[in-house]
Amino acid sequence: MLGHSFTAPWAGSQDHDYLLLQVAESLQLTKSQFEAAEAAYRSVSSWLNADDTALARLRPFIFPHGSVALGTTVKPRRGQKDDEYDVDCVCRLASTSLSSMEVYALVQARLMAHETYRSMLERKNRCLRLNYSGQFHIDILPGVPTGVRTELLVPDREIKEWTRSDPEGFAKWFKARAERPQLIRADAQPLPEPAPARDKPALAIAVQLVKRRRDMVFDGSEDAPRSILLTTLAARVYNGSYGVGATLAQVVAGMASELRRSVGRIAVPNPVNEAEDFAESLDDARYEKLRAFMFAFEREIAGLATAHGEDLREAMKEMFGAEPTVTAFERWGELLNKRRVSRTLTVTGAGKGALGVVSDVSATKVPRHDYFGA
């Protein structure tokens, strides 16, 4: 089922789609970043899965969740206050009569038994974090099955009790919204290798661009809206648009519309656990900052669609940062030069000052989605 019927007009050209796609490409984790995270994830998984430990009798199964599982991780900006990225994983245990705090303590004790992890460990409300300083952090969420599909009970240190969660169900919901194949369960799940932006569904790219704009605006502030809130709201309003620009415009306008139409505070329930509201933790000040951010972003996207030449370059720098924008324009220039040499360049665009892109876009063809037009 597609999302809300709300649609936003997108006046951008193929030029805009190409450049936005290249910005998204620059936001993907680098090969070295992924390899470092993958190696750390494998090591932690092996340590938690080891035989002859107090944890072993609960048969731990480790699998990724969050942005790394959804394909929406965004490379941190250089110089950003919080310049680390998340690697979220679940440590699913067998059903047990142990209490929530006993399960939390059991996983914590296993991590503390590792000489290196001991100094890296940070206790969070529901998870245990390993800080790989200046690189990334791995958040390990303990959980036990409820017996209802993929739902889990996870410990909550604030209330010292179990709370319901379903990271695997959420991932399946998001991928169904984006109309992508599901992950196949195996004996243990590795980190999914980051796909190039051009191979991702339009919704995943739009979420990455929204998160990048969030990072630019809030610069690591605690007032920044959580990724899970933005991801859920974007997927909820997504109506199946194709094309990077059209999808970004549609989800941003849809999110802004929901915030604008809501009477009082908007609710963003977990689609696989209606009792959990991802907006619940927002106080009045943070909620107003979320609204201001989305309304401003909606105006920026509308302006971006009609900008060309140097105005477009400067608008994209302001929205997404200088580094990915410069890279995007360099790649666009290389494409044009290649087509000029091969005499296949035909210019499209919105008249004088339009960037123009070749009508033959075979060099940037994608297997499932046409990112170069709705």
Side-chain angles (χ1 to χ4, degrees):
M1 180 177 174
L2 293 180
H4 295 192
S5 59
F6 181 87
T7 57
W10 169 248
S13 67
Q14 292 179 344
D15 305 333
H16 296 81
D17 271 9
Y18 181 83
L19 289 165
L20 286 169
L21 180 63
Q22 296 309 314
V23 167
E25 195 69 68
S26 296
L27 301 182
Q28 311 308 307
L29 295 182
T30 64
K31 182 180 179 182
S32 61
Q33 285 175 322
F34 172 74
E35 288 176 347
E38 183 185 39
Y41 172 84
R42 278 203 306 260
S43 294
V44 172
S45 298
S46 296
W47 183 253
L48 293 174
N49 275 317
D51 296 329
D52 300 324
T53 72
L55 194 61
R57 63 189 174 88
L58 293 179
R59 302 190 304 278
F61 177 85
I62 317 300
F63 63 92
H65 79 98
S67 59
V68 72
L70 303 179
T72 59
T73 300
V74 174
K75 183 169 63 179
R77 291 187 300 119
R78 214 175 275 170
Q80 184 181 338
K81 289 179 184 176
D82 181 9
D83 60 356
E84 297 180 357
Y85 55 94
D86 299 337
V87 178
D88 297 322
C89 64
V90 174
C91 179
R92 192 190 67 196
L93 305 170
S95 296
T96 176
S97 60
L98 294 175
S99 71
S100 61
M101 292 299 94
E102 287 172 328
V103 165
Y104 188 96
L106 196 60
V107 177
Q108 177 183 328
R110 178 57 186 159
L111 292 170
M112 288 289 287
H114 192 288
E115 185 177 351
T116 302
Y117 296 157
R118 192 180 308 133
S119 63
M120 301 164 61
L121 188 62
E122 178 184 357
R123 295 199 306 167
K124 308 296 284 187
N125 185 41
R126 295 186 181 180
C127 69
L128 291 142
R129 174 172 293 180
L130 294 177
N131 289 297
Y132 294 77
S133 183
Q135 300 178 70
F136 53 88
H137 49 261
I138 297 180
D139 286 344
I140 303 159
L141 179 70
V144 298
T146 65
V148 179
R149 295 182 297 276
T150 56
E151 185 182 64
L152 299 174
L153 292 175
V154 301
D156 187 309
R157 292 176 59 230
E158 286 185 2
I159 61 174
K160 293 182 168 50
E161 191 48 86
W162 293 111
T163 186
R164 292 178 184 271
S165 185
D166 193 352
E168 188 175 3
F170 183 90
K172 289 180 178 178
W173 172 81
F174 180 86
K175 290 176 181 181
R177 299 291 298 159
E179 299 180 324
R180 295 292 284 179
Q182 306 302 317
L183 287 175
I184 298 174
R185 292 294 297 259
D187 195 32
Q189 283 189 356
L191 278 189
E193 243 182 275
R198 60 189 289 174
D199 290 343
K200 292 185 177 184
L203 175 59
I205 293 177
V207 168
Q208 287 184 294
L209 293 172
V210 170
K211 288 167 64 174
R212 174 63 170 203
R213 185 64 188 129
R214 183 266 321 263
D215 293 346
M216 292 289 295
V217 170
F218 289 93
D219 192 25
S221 166
E222 292 182 358
D223 292 332
R226 294 169 61 204
S227 293
I228 189 66
L229 187 154
L230 296 175
T231 301
T232 304
L233 193 50
R236 192 168 85 180
V237 303
Y238 178 53
N239 70 358
S241 297
Y242 292 110
V244 179
T247 300
L248 179 62
Q250 188 267 310
V251 298
V252 169
M255 293 161 77
S257 178
E258 289 223 349
L259 289 164
R260 195 175 286 116
R261 291 179 308 179
S262 64
V263 178
R265 298 279 291 274
I266 191 175
V268 186
N270 184 336
V272 294
N273 178 15
E274 293 290 326
E276 183 178 17
D277 181 4
F278 293 137
E280 189 176 33
S281 62
L282 295 176
D283 59 25
D284 289 344
R286 292 179 66 191
Y287 184 70
E288 287 307 312
K289 287 179 180 179
L290 168 65
R291 283 167 53 88
F293 164 64
M294 290 311 309
F295 297 159
F297 196 19
E298 181 184 29
R299 293 191 297 271
E300 291 167 349
I301 293 294
L304 188 74
T306 56
H308 301 286
E310 193 59 32
D311 290 341
L312 178 58
R313 186 194 302 264
E314 292 306 310
M316 290 180 66
K317 280 184 181 179
E318 177 66 26
M319 290 172 67
F320 305 116
E323 189 175 345
T325 299
V326 168
T327 299
F329 273 79
E330 286 176 349
R331 290 173 180 167
W332 176 82
E334 290 168 2
L335 175 63
L336 292 190
N337 287 334
K338 184 189 297 183
R339 299 307 170 84
R340 285 192 185 99
V341 170
S342 63
R343 297 184 179 180
T344 59
L345 179 63
T346 59
V347 178
T348 65
K352 186 177 180 181
L355 287 172
V357 72
V358 296
S359 58
D360 173 13
V361 293
S362 59
T364 48
K365 186 178 179 181
V366 294
R368 286 184 62 88
H369 295 292
D370 175 11
Y371 291 115
F372 293 89

